[in-house]
Amino acid sequence: MTSTGQDSSTARQRRNRHNPRSPPRNSGITSKRGVKKGAGARTSPSLADVKKKGRMKKLSQAAEQDLIIGLQGLDPNLEAKTLSGTGLVFDEQLNEFHCLWDDSIPEGPERLHAIRKQLIQEGLLDRCISFQARFAEKEELMFVHSLEYIDLMETTQYMNEEELHILADTYDSVYLHPNSYTCACLASGSVLRLVDAVLGAEIRNGMAIIRPPGHHAQHSLMDGYCMFNHVAIAARYAQQKHDIQRVLIVDWDIHHGQGTQFTFDKDPSVLYFSIHRCEEGRFWPHLRASNWSTTGFGQGQGYTVNVPWSQVGMQDADYIAAFLHILLPIALEFQPQLVLVAAGFDALQGDPKGEMAATPAGFAQLTHLLMGLAGGKLILSLEGGYNLRSLAEGVSASLHTLLGDPCPMLESPGAPCPSAQASFCCTLEALEPFWEVLVRSAEALEEDNMEGDNMEEEEEEEEGPWQPPEFPVLTWPMLQARTGLVYDQQMMSHYNLWDSHHPEMPQRVSRIMRRLEELGLAGRCLTLRPRPATDAELLTCHSSEYVGRLRATEKMKTRELHRESTNFDSIYICPSTFACAQLATGAVCRLVEAVLAGEILNGAAVVRPPGHHAERDAACGFCFFNSVAVAARCAQAISGRALRILIVDWDVHHGNGTQHIFEEDPSVLYISLHRYDHGTFFPMGDEGACSQMGRAAGTGFTVNVAWNGPHMGDTDYLSAWHRLVLPIAYEGGYNLTSISESMAACVRSLLGDPPPLLTLPRPPLLGAMASITKTIQVHRRYWRSLRVTKAEDRERPYSSKSVTKKAPQTANSGSAKGMTPPEENILDVGTGKATSASCVEESTPGQTKSETTVLEHTQNQPLETATGEATLDQTASEAAMGVAILDQTTSEAATGGATLDQATSEEAVVGAKLIRIPPASYTDNQTPPSSSVQGATPQISLDKLIGNLRTLEVDNEPQEAPEEDRLLGEAVGGQDMDESVLMQSSGDHVYAYQTMFYAVTPLPWCPDLVAVCPIPEAGLDVTQPCQDCGVLQENWVCLSCYQVYCGRYINAHMVRHHEGSGHPLVLSYADLSAWCYNCQAYIHHQTLVDAKNIAHQNKFGQLMPQSH
């Protein structure tokens, strides 16, 4: 288990604690069961009807009141408030400088020439609203830069070439020209002009095509072709002049924008996100601050987000995954009021500096993702980009997107590569203490075996040197109408003959259409004439017998209709039902036809009755024909092939019918987000469980996010959206106000309007995160893009509880506490062997390495610490706290190296152990000693190790046991836990590292203990290799048959043994922990002590220390 700042995250979880399994009032089931209670038409209402009407009215009023409160922060009204137009600043004066003494410098006027030619060729200049560039005033530049520095730059106007060269040589990677200062002021002023226009409601968004770039420029330092930091100045300008409180700066230039980061790294009002090539500091600007571990300082801690690439060749999938898994969740919690982009295009394929493989289409996607933030207030400011073709196409693609054009299809988005996943893992780990949305559920399930896939990918990468792919030819469809709208009032003729208060009432669609007309949205859409679905279309998803049976209801009498209704689940039928269902299905097919024919880009079908519950041979849940399923088959028939189709179902009820129709079809990916309540919410049963993943060839193409409780809100859905879903769909909804406003919001988005600002009052619910996590765990084996997780998700068994104390944040505190830097050495204490890993890996056969003692250190730091005066009283700590105790007396003799063992207290956490201790900590007046022979295993002093201990898990609720906290301080040598910190200065920035102690509480009993068999007479041999592959590390012994196999993260032979034999309990020869596959948890029980004792004696030469 690797995690940091668990005290804060646990406290946040505790503040928002709820019981997702508490049995809520299941209004959905009640209302639907009410459909079956009607016994025919009545001449006058009965007492039951009157009571029911009163209940419905009361519930409706309460629901609508809740909705009104929820919508108060939004403003879906007033069509005039919808801004349009994209601003563009492009001034030829910015080409009036270049390097006088080196023609090979790539930052030159030809960059803007290439961009201008591309924009004219695609007709983009005429579509934008042009703004005249202006000069930034000194007072505006001083928002970021010192007056002395500005004055110095101003004097460069009067210098000769020799003087300019001499001054430029005092900086890193810069050149100067007599016009450099003028152009830099003009470039900064260009961005400020767009800030005024966007925040002054003149335009929706904008782009500044400027040079020189700016994101490397620091307070009093020119750097990397940059003189003034345009986006940093713009952020401060927006705050000072427009009263903006929160600004998001996204920097996708291939080089880290250290100047921007240093400007705001103590400021929580500006969130800085940078995704850049780093390679552990080997790539320019060669700074430690560019790594994932730097998260800001003081109050700004957590507001610096770095995603560093460790290799070249990163593609669209890597960038998009970084946005979905890291940037967007954090940004939605941060709720920026303005988004500024340091838009460098040197990450595009073909760029000589970046050496990456992103495409212009990929950057169009990134731009589109950002347009959903800050109410669409988005400004791009050109930074780098030195391949003229890729630069021009990248700028063009982003500008197309700002103008509202649809993003071009990605050639092959795929999934993020293993190196990108490692970067995500570390970044998420560093940021988890600071962002509620990154706190994961404690009920993480067993992670799928990914090592084989990763090894195959690594082998593919090693086949030869990376070569950039061919440029794709981008196409931008130009449509007369963007959004289609289909609706027919005839669909209101389907109604319940016996219950006028039934929630699936005709007014559902009429209220939607009325609202669309009130907001002027219907007039902006292309109205399409609906048509009935043909029999051939219906038969693609339903049987001919069922279609005929439903058609026969048109001629039935009232009594016969009621009798036929009772043959189905939650259904009412009237004489118009068949015609309305046929028309609803045909309307959706008409919309699909219009999209595929190029008449429209997207559309909305306001139809009823709904369809997603309808099965092949049965009506269900108000649904008769599965309109979305039929439309999907219609699209495939039109295209003449098995078109890949994504169906997203966000109805609160699971679309059982849609799932069943496509569960064996890999051409249709069905994703459903629905309330499940462990199978008790309609349609009930296990069909909506997250474990359902399809069948046969369709396995993996059914994805269920099953909410096990009520009150799931925007935060929960958005969390699922970023990890699983992007496209949108619409069906269902039974509150008349909510569905009209919701459909209006969807149509607005389809028309290209920016979404309203959200108010997210809370982090995702624990139950929501549990559901999302379970779904991701189930589907990781099928979708590589879902394998982007924090190490914590992979290492925390659902039964463990962890509470970690976190040091107070100070201005000079470290950036990421307890993180594992890439490529750092990890000492396996079971073998005394140092290994290299980017993140801590697990050793359990089924899930985690939470019972293996691991000591970590960086390659440039020894494991031995300099603060070795503290000692740990073993007896006191065991007796008073029951925590994991380090024991070194026997292991060195057994292994001949510096290893650590543990003794535990059965009364508290038998089997709990040290997980990891991040880089060794030193006091601020000490320097780390130099490392000895590289690759050798250092000798570790126990006293010195404990002297640096900062965080120790004592029990599940340490805040209620101050005496234990006091004893903990004594155990680490009587010093304040906040004092043992390494302070290492780098310029004006200080980095601190904390040590961490983690423990896992095993289950005290499990029902599979009866499977433990007597130990063989020959005993146990902990050196025995795996019986299948012969490896010696991380082997496990089955406690039923005593066969030995390797763990999950070696070759997973013990997992296969369990799957084949059903034997549940195994014992680790690495750390003597016992794991139950059926319980998915560690177990400690008296039944296991004999096996553990014999293994311990064989491993260390003596029995296990007795607990107190």
Side-chain angles (χ1 to χ4, degrees), residues 668-680:
V668 177
L669 171 61
Y670 175 70
I671 302 178
S672 176
L673 299 92
H674 53 270
R675 185 170 173 183
Y676 179 61
D677 289 4
H678 307 284
T680 63

Side-chain angles (χ1 to χ4, degrees), residues 619-630:
C620 179
F622 315 158
C623 303
F624 298 91
F625 295 134
N626 200 309
S627 51
V628 170
V630 173

Side-chain angles (χ1 to χ4, degrees), residues 455-467:
M455 291 176 62
E456 291 176 2
E457 293 167 358
E458 292 170 357
E459 290 172 359
E460 291 176 1
E461 293 175 357
E462 295 173 357
E463 289 179 357
W466 172 80
Q467 296 292 334

Side-chain angles (χ1 to χ4, degrees), residues 98 107 303 376 501 517 557 575 688 737 775 817 849-850 869 889 913 965 998 1027 1043:
H98 62 278
E107 204 299 292
Y303 293 88
H501 302 292
E517 291 167 355
K557 298 179 180 180
T737 302
T775 303
K817 309 297 188 293
K849 190 174 183 177
S850 52
E869 299 300 322
T889 58
K913 54 281 310 158
D965 290 346
Y998 293 101
Q1027 295 177 210
Q1043 297 184 51

Side-chain angles (χ1 to χ4, degrees), residues 279-388:
E279 299 181 23
E280 287 74 51
R282 295 189 296 273
F283 190 69
W284 198 90
H286 311 294
L287 295 176
R288 183 171 183 171
S290 304
N291 209 358
W292 54 266
S293 56
T294 300
T295 60
F297 303 95
Q299 291 185 339
Q301 204 164 14
Y303 293 88
T304 294
V305 181
N306 284 319
V307 180
W309 296 141
S310 296
Q311 66 180 39
V312 299
M314 294 299 181
Q315 302 181 23
D316 294 336
D318 306 305
Y319 278 86
I320 292 172
F323 271 48
L324 294 180
H325 293 280
I326 302 174
L327 172 60
L328 291 183
I330 293 175
L332 281 163
E333 182 176 336
F334 179 67
Q335 285 293 290
Q337 297 163 297
L338 175 67
V339 180
L340 302 172
V341 180
F345 292 92
D346 37 10
L348 290 171
Q349 58 193 30
D351 191 275
K353 289 183 174 293
E355 298 184 83
M356 296 297 171
T359 69
F363 275 85
Q365 298 281 345
L366 300 183
T367 304
H368 179 73
L369 292 174
L370 295 178
M371 290 173 69
L373 301 171
K377 296 180 178 64
L378 172 65
I379 297 173
L380 274 61
S381 175
L382 180 65
E383 294 287 350
Y386 306 102
N387 177 295
L388 298 184

Side-chain angles (χ1 to χ4, degrees), residues 688-705:
C690 65
S691 58
Q692 297 291 333
M693 60 191 73
R695 298 189 306 174
T699 302
F701 291 89
T702 294
V703 181
N704 286 323
V705 180

Side-chain angles (χ1 to χ4, degrees), residues 35 41 489-507 558 561 565 571-578 580-581 608-609 622 624:
V35 177
Q489 193 170 358
Q490 182 183 339
M491 286 179 280
M492 294 183 65
S493 61
H494 166 69
Y495 65 96
N496 193 317
L497 297 172
W498 306 276
D499 184 1
S500 60
H501 302 292
H502 193 281
E504 208 294 285
M505 60 181 65
Q507 290 79 7
T558 302
L561 290 171
S565 300
I571 285 295
Y572 67 83
I573 305 175
C574 73
S576 301
T577 295
F578 175 80
C580 291
R608 64 176 295 271
F622 315 158
F624 298 91

